[in-house]
Amino acid sequence: MNGPEAERSVRVPARPATYTFEPATTALLVIDMQRDFLEPGGFGESLGNDVTQLRRTIAPLRRVLAAARAAGLTVVHTREGHLPDLSDCPPAKLRRGAPRQRIGDPGRFGRILIRGEYGHDIIDELAPVGGELVIDKPGKGAFYATELDGLLGERSVTSLLVTGVTTEVCVHTTVREANDRGYECLVLADCVGSYFPRFHSIGLEMIAAQGGIFGWVADSADLLAALAPATP
Ligand code: TIU
């Protein structure tokens, strides 16, 4: 972003302590808000999950996405999924559990978690716009086998505002990966969701415990209030 706002520090009330970031070196990370996880008939439901648990994140995430765009933050969307021939899917991942449908099987929205299929793409409410990064990832973490670290480095990004699904799986894995790479992560509690409410709340506690062992946690309303003066 350009202009004097680029140097402005934003301070967000958070757990375990205030989180401070510079908009010019911060990215909003929207993890795996894909139809296959959020819509009935996708991968999430095939694993036996109640997808409605994730849908409460959509409205607050729309507000955060709008604010991030207005403030000129780097915006990154990720999608979990695999090549049509499944050559990037470890057999162990393919075999895991006893789902009704496996990765690559035909689902209501095309082949499950396969790149290029309708179900693999991001829900309409949060569709990326021009200039935003879309990272396709074969694993749970957004840094594993992707170009994410390099693209953030090119943009001098050091702070990540983390949103998406699911709290204890792809969000946790990504935040741990990011923390080990030196990024400071703020996880927005109402913009991340889990099929398991208990895992969600414990997952957030785990991030902020021990003095913020691998990140900070805040509510999106506090981020929006802090960011508002930076919005042109
Ligand atoms: N994106 C993500 O979290 N992938 C998953 O498979 N999550 C589950 O909770 N299953």
Side-chain angles (χ1 to χ4, degrees), residues 32 37 43 47 80 140 165-166 169-170 195:
D32 299 357
F37 291 117
F43 179 63
L47 295 172
E80 180 177 350
K140 303 306 183 193
V165 297
T166 63
V169 182
C170 291
Y195 300 115

